[in-house]
Amino acid sequence: MKTMRTLLTILTSLIGLTSFAQVSFGNADKFNKEWRFALADDSTAYRADFNDSRWRPLTLPHDWSVESAPSQALASCTGYLPGGIGWYRKHFTVNDEAARHYIYFEGVYNRSDVYLNGHHLGHRPNGYVSFMYDLTPYLKKGDNVIAVRVDHSRYADSRWYTGSGIYRDVYLVSAPDMHLSQWGVAYRATKLTDRNATIEVDVAVDNFTTSAQKVQTRITLLDAEGKQVASTTKNVTVEANTKNQQLPIATCQLKNPHRWHLNDPYLYTLRVELLADGKMIDQTEVRAGLRTLEFDANKGFALNGENMKVKGVCLHHDAGVLGSVVPPEVWRRRIESLKAMGANAIRMSHNPQAPIVYDLCDELGMLVMDEGSDEWEFPKRKWIKGWNKGEPGYEGTFDFFEEWIERDITDIVRRDRNHPSVFLWSVGNEVDYPNDPYSHPVLDGSSISQPMFGGYDPERPHAERIGKIAKRLAACIRAVDASRPVTGALAGVVMSNETEYPEAVDVVGYNYTEDRYDTDHKKYPNRIIYGSETRSDFSAWKDVRDKQHIFGQFIWTGTDYLGESGSWPSRGLHTGLLNFASYAKPRGKFREAHWSDKPMIYIGTYRRGRGRWGDNLSIDAGDSWNYRNGEQVRVVCYTNTAQAQLKLNGEVVGEMTPYNDEHGMIHWDIPYADGTLIAEGYDKDGNLQTTYTIQTSGRPYQLRASLIETQTQPREAIDTPTYQVLVEVLDENGVLVKLADNMISCQAQGGQLLGLENNDNSDMSHPKARQRRAFQGYLVAYVQAGEGNAPIHISFSSPLLEEATLTIAHK
């Protein structure tokens, strides 16, 4: 039996905490304002004396791809949105007395080059990793100019939408000549019981002075109320002219530790101080979560000793009309919506995401699989005319793989290792997809559940290369963090079983190959298996639910996303449990019925025997109740109650029916009549548990606007928050008209309209348009507050409808 047990303390920053927690040293301030931008290439734009006065002023983060209209002439893999080459420049002065200054980028897509006063600081091709440059050698008194060239001219370089530009936050970091290293603090609990915890603290230091320095590290652990609960100090010597010197491990003891759990994500604050002659010269603070992980080939996964099923979803990093610049409030609501339907894990598909996402998962209680890349040394197919349509393209990120992958993977783990939410490190996704690009003789005559683009092709790279690369990347991860298992998402399990790949990792993910679960468990009894990417249908879940040795699944996908589009018109792939605006789709409600511990019920309807579903049972049935009188309508019910009945206008029209575990739902066929349709869910003893109501609507008559509140609030206010406003089309009686598609215009005073999201995947209008058609009776407006505390006045109008207004008292 193969068992992996990890005990660790994980730490992280959250919204509102000191900003230097992310880089783990110095004093960091956001460096987002007063940049200038040009979507053009100019070989002289790096120079300090370049005239950028006519460039567009903007505030970061910024994604230029989503500022353009989709075009059928562009690639479907990007959502028919463009790339290009852009330059960013910022003039700034440094007025503090710090000895050293750095610039830290959370993410730039992609192939960036950064210059200070004309001097080249560095090149970073990966568009998802965070990186930092030392400004000190070229920084001047007075005016300084930072210039960033972003080359996304190979725009169809991904299978999904990436965005273009400096699309995450930037920080200016000041520090003394001796300071804590970037990402130089790490934590783990070598012992964790209900009574005691032993916490080891790793600290690395940079010393730019010419002499060795005797210093002291002081470690303090604070509980959630700010009370000191553990501490330790250690005297050390830091060598001269050294970077990332690992100091001796410091250890502290904690009594009665409060564990981090999915339903109780308790976070300590751990403070690390560097002192010289008794004076503090540098410090960092991070949030700390204490928990244990256990993986077993037969019993699955346990968190804090409690066996559970991982109910996960895969997520890309965009949010519809917002592109890749997704405000924290939108991420918060998205994660809350997923958690409300019973999800407890997120797979970062297929790259590291913005730090705020991990912070929120720590705070809200979600497990995270952190993933390195989707492509290794050779390019994958990128579809141009629609998913699996026509001839693919082969642009990609493969060209810098060999030079950068080990550094990229190492940096990912160093940046994210202090998050209690992260429980798996993934070396990659579907790099073993048969014949895309690797091949193996086993493909001739083998049964593989995904398309293979033909049998064995000796002209393609041999699959044995996969295992060798996986071993290299796993070694990079374990060198930084051995407390969590390494995994990989296998698409061609039969082929990979002929290589070293499955043995190179600790936990083996299977993409869409549920048919191999039992076969491989028997053949490889020590292999820990889970569904790293699965369909959202009921059978894929039952293969997890009913098999003790399969510890979980990650559904494709948690939300609809841009790119990987079908034939025009198609913005993206709409397989999400949530739509672009983070509302649960019918399939999300279906999933909630099987994942949630709270009683729930939902009903959807469609014409029986006609249309898309005919006489089949669908997990995508919308909840409208507008048909022709007497027409036969199928009503499908998604519920976790033992039985349910259906009432129309107070009369039973669907008899009490037990839950059906064959297809995971209940259904009735009834003749349509106007009115109110209610589904009632009961326990096995006949006690009413929950209801769901849908209602016949009249014609569109008025608009209604309301502020969408998140379930939880950030610990401290955000300077320029983004508000999410729900705009609904109602009839005269105030009933939502779910068939309405009226054109709605928005005007905002005191704030900036970031976009109108209607969730219609076929809507190819400009993402930043100030008017958009409602879809299924509503849309969501994203409005960002301006500077200061002025209220935001928003109005929505549509021809022939009563308008709606909303005032937000921004504080």
Side-chain angles (χ1 to χ4, degrees):
M1 178 186 299
K2 181 176 180 180
T3 299
M4 171 169 288
R5 184 172 181 82
T6 61
L7 297 148
L8 63 161
T9 303
I10 312 291
L11 320 169
T12 183
S13 60
L14 292 169
I15 298 174
L17 297 179
T18 45
S19 59
F20 53 74
Q22 189 184 135
V23 292
S24 299
F25 77 94
N27 184 27
D29 294 306
K30 282 190 177 179
F31 204 52
N32 290 339
K33 296 181 180 179
E34 298 177 347
W35 285 77
R36 290 185 174 273
F37 171 72
L39 185 55
D41 197 13
D42 189 320
S43 61
T44 65
Y46 73 96
R47 294 170 47 179
D49 60 356
F50 180 86
N51 184 0
D52 57 21
S53 61
R54 294 187 177 182
W55 284 18
R56 169 188 168 192
L58 54 74
T59 296
L60 301 177
H62 173 240
D63 172 7
W64 78 68
S65 291
V66 80
E67 294 179 339
S68 298
S71 170
Q72 194 169 357
L74 296 173
S76 60
C77 58
T78 70
Y80 300 97
L81 290 167
I85 298 176
W87 278 89
Y88 298 84
R89 286 171 57 90
K90 178 179 172 70
H91 296 257
F92 68 101
T93 58
V94 174
N95 298 316
D96 62 56
E97 299 299 321
R100 310 199 70 79
H101 293 86
Y102 304 83
I103 189 168
Y104 178 81
F105 295 89
E106 288 187 351
V108 182
Y109 205 91
N110 65 348
R111 303 176 189 269
S112 64
D113 288 274
V114 181
Y115 303 82
L116 175 63
N117 298 325
H119 299 277
H120 187 240
L121 300 181
H123 172 71
R124 198 66 185 244
N126 190 309
Y128 297 110
V129 297
S130 300
F131 57 95
M132 185 179 74
Y133 295 124
D134 189 350
L135 304 179
T136 310
Y138 308 112
L139 205 59
K140 303 183 301 183
K141 294 289 184 181
D143 184 61
N144 292 273
V145 181
I146 195 87
V148 183
R149 182 180 186 267
V150 183
D151 182 358
H152 195 201
S153 56
R154 286 167 277 194
Y155 79 102
D157 61 349
S158 172
R159 296 190 294 153
W160 61 89
Y161 179 82
T162 63
S164 303
I166 308 178
Y167 69 103
R168 296 181 187 163
D169 288 326
V170 181
Y171 291 85
L172 183 66
V173 185
S174 57
D177 275 331
M178 184 168 61
H179 56 74
L180 300 167
S181 301
Q182 178 189 5
W183 306 323
V185 174
Y187 310 81
R188 59 194 171 274
T190 55
K191 176 184 177 182
L192 179 59
T193 69
D194 291 340
R195 298 185 64 181
N196 296 285
T198 300
I199 302 170
E200 292 186 347
V201 182
D202 294 326
V203 179
V205 175
D206 292 355
N207 181 11
F208 288 90
T209 70
T210 56
S211 60
Q213 303 287 328
K214 292 184 178 180
V215 298
Q216 184 181 69
T217 57
R218 182 164 62 198
I219 314 296
T220 307
L221 187 67
L222 309 174
D223 65 15
E225 288 71 43
K227 178 183 176 182
Q228 179 178 317
V229 291
S231 65
T232 187
T233 59
K234 201 169 190 70
N235 296 317
V236 297
T237 299
V238 181
E239 301 299 325
N241 297 311
T242 185
K243 290 192 67 176
N244 202 36
Q245 179 183 331
Q246 298 293 319
L247 303 184
I249 295 171
T251 302
C252 61
Q253 303 295 325
L254 173 65
K255 293 183 178 180
N256 303 316
H258 192 149
R259 300 187 190 219
W260 183 92
H261 199 279
L262 299 178
N263 296 323
D264 182 19
Y266 189 89
L267 293 168
Y268 293 91
T269 297
L270 194 138
R271 180 182 299 144
V272 179
E273 296 170 289
L274 189 64
L275 301 97
D277 298 325
K279 296 181 179 180
M280 194 270 289
I281 58 174
D282 196 14
Q283 74 164 350
T284 189
E285 286 185 355
V286 288
R287 290 290 182 183
L290 304 172
R291 83 288 190 275
T292 64
L293 307 174
E294 186 174 359
F295 296 82
D296 186 275
N298 294 311
K299 297 180 180 179
F301 168 70
L303 176 66
N304 295 321
E306 177 187 345
N307 276 88
M308 63 178 60
K309 294 296 186 180
V310 171
K311 304 169 183 177
V313 298
C314 303
L315 283 183
H316 282 317
H317 73 164
D318 71 276
V321 296
L322 297 175
S324 60
V325 180
V326 184
E329 299 89 346
V330 176
W331 269 117
R332 178 179 290 274
R333 185 166 149 261
R334 176 181 285 183
I335 296 172
E336 286 178 348
S337 297
L338 290 168
K339 193 172 178 69
M341 69 174 56
N344 61 20
I346 293 173
R347 177 187 178 203
M348 303 302 189
S349 308
H350 304 288
N351 44 262
Q353 300 206 21
I356 184 60
V357 185
Y358 303 83
D359 294 343
L360 287 169
C361 289
D362 293 341
E363 180 186 341
L364 298 176
M366 292 284 274
L367 297 169
V368 169
M369 184 209 298
D370 213 2
E371 195 154 63
S373 63
D374 183 58
E375 188 169 88
W376 283 359
E377 57 179 342
F378 298 106
K380 291 182 177 180
R381 290 169 168 85
K382 310 330 187 279
W383 298 103
I384 307 301
K385 298 299 183 183
W387 191 67
N388 281 346
K389 302 288 185 182
E391 292 295 321
Y394 287 95
E395 291 178 345
T397 57
F398 62 93
D399 57 300
F400 57 78
F401 173 84
E402 192 61 38
E403 179 182 357
W404 285 95
I405 188 58
E406 292 186 15
R407 181 175 175 183
D408 286 345
I409 287 289
T410 299
D411 284 355
I412 291 168
V413 178
R414 280 174 57 81
R415 191 197 74 169
D416 296 341
R417 60 184 167 171
N418 289 334
H419 290 280
S421 54
V422 176
F423 82 127
L424 286 170
W425 302 114
S426 172
V427 296
N429 172 64
E430 294 189 345
V431 294
D432 64 333
Y433 199 99
N435 286 324
D436 191 17
Y438 297 96
S439 197
H440 190 280
V442 75
L443 297 180
D444 284 336
S446 296
S447 174
I448 297 181
S449 61
Q450 286 189 271
M452 296 186 301
F453 303 112
Y456 173 54
D457 184 350
E459 299 300 316
R460 294 190 174 275
H462 198 277
E464 68 179 9
R465 302 171 67 94
I466 302 171
K468 299 182 185 302
I469 294 173
K471 290 172 69 175
R472 283 172 51 200
L473 302 187
C476 290
I477 293 171
R478 295 177 184 128
V480 178
D481 177 32
S483 66
R484 302 172 179 87
V486 178
T487 188
L490 278 60
V493 177
V494 171
M495 185 174 75
S496 285
N497 282 343
E498 304 297 317
T499 75
E500 299 176 285
Y501 190 3
E503 294 303 315
V505 298
D506 306 300
V507 178
V508 186
Y510 283 36
N511 283 16
Y512 307 104
T513 43
E514 290 85 358
D515 60 315
R516 303 292 308 180
Y517 284 173
D518 290 339
T519 301
D520 283 10
H521 179 58
K522 183 178 180 179
K523 187 174 182 180
Y524 310 103
N526 294 326
R527 181 178 295 181
I528 303 170
I529 302 172
Y530 69 104
S532 45
E533 191 169 315
T534 75
R535 304 177 309 277
S536 56
D537 59 43
F538 190 46
S539 64
W541 168 239
K542 288 205 291 185
D543 281 328
V544 175
R545 185 196 68 180
D546 299 340
K547 299 179 189 299
Q548 188 179 19
H549 62 283
I550 304 300
F551 71 75
Q553 68 173 168
F554 288 87
I555 287 175
W556 194 263
T557 54
T559 67
D560 291 348
Y561 62 93
L562 298 178
E564 209 160 6
S565 304
S567 300
W568 180 279
S570 173
R571 287 200 282 163
L573 196 62
H574 49 103
T575 57
L577 302 181
L578 306 178
N579 59 28
F580 286 117
S582 299
Y583 280 108
K585 296 163 59 178
R587 63 176 49 203
K589 304 303 289 186
F590 181 75
R591 183 55 44 189
E592 182 181 349
H594 299 105
W595 278 1
S596 179
D597 295 329
K598 299 177 181 179
M600 69 80 59
I601 195 167
Y602 167 94
I603 46 175
T605 68
Y606 47 95
R607 292 180 177 88
R608 183 186 175 188
R610 298 172 58 187
R612 177 180 174 187
W613 299 301
D615 286 326
N616 296 320
L617 296 177
S618 173
I619 66 172
D620 294 312
D623 59 348
S624 62
W625 190 240
N626 283 77
Y627 296 92
R628 296 177 179 175
N629 284 327
E631 188 173 17
Q632 282 293 308
V633 177
R634 171 152 292 180
V635 180
V636 291
C637 175
Y638 315 148
T639 185
N640 57 11
T641 61
Q643 52 188 340
Q645 69 177 6
L646 192 65
K647 290 182 178 179
L648 178 60
N649 299 325
E651 300 292 330
V652 175
V653 293
E655 63 182 12
M656 190 75 75
T657 306
Y659 168 82
N660 188 318
D661 196 51
E662 179 183 351
H663 43 66
M665 66 181 78
I666 298 167
H667 77 279
W668 304 273
D669 294 324
I670 64 173
Y672 174 79
D674 290 350
T676 300
L677 190 67
I678 300 177
E680 298 176 337
Y682 294 81
D683 64 17
K684 60 183 178 60
D685 297 320
N687 299 307
L688 180 65
Q689 299 291 295
T690 184
T691 64
Y692 193 88
T693 301
I694 59 178
Q695 191 173 358
T696 303
S697 66
R699 295 181 179 276
Y701 176 78
Q702 59 188 321
L703 299 179
R704 179 173 65 192
S706 56
L707 187 63
I708 304 172
E709 300 282 358
T710 54
Q711 300 171 29
T712 60
Q713 297 301 318
R715 296 175 184 270
E716 293 184 16
I718 299 172
D719 290 340
T720 54
T722 297
Y723 296 99
Q724 301 165 79
V725 179
L726 174 64
V727 186
E728 298 169 287
V729 181
L730 309 179
D731 67 11
E732 285 187 282
N733 297 315
V735 177
L736 178 65
V737 184
K738 296 180 180 179
L739 302 179
D741 64 351
N742 302 71
M743 182 67 74
I744 299 175
S745 298
C746 175
Q747 296 293 327
Q749 295 180 341
Q752 179 186 1
L753 177 65
L754 301 181
L756 297 171
E757 180 55 73
N758 66 358
N759 303 305
D760 182 359
N761 188 58
S762 64
D763 185 345
M764 307 305 287
S765 57
H766 198 295
K768 299 302 180 183
R770 304 189 71 87
Q771 61 177 12
R772 191 175 296 274
R773 288 194 176 278
F775 182 67
Q776 297 176 341
Y778 72 98
L779 56 75
V780 170
Y782 300 108
V783 181
Q784 188 175 59
E787 299 289 340
N789 297 323
I792 305 170
H793 301 285
I794 314 171
S795 63
F796 300 94
S797 60
S798 181
L800 304 179
L801 303 185
E802 291 187 359
E803 70 173 19
T805 61
L806 183 69
T807 297
I808 301 173
H810 169 54
K811 297 181 180 180

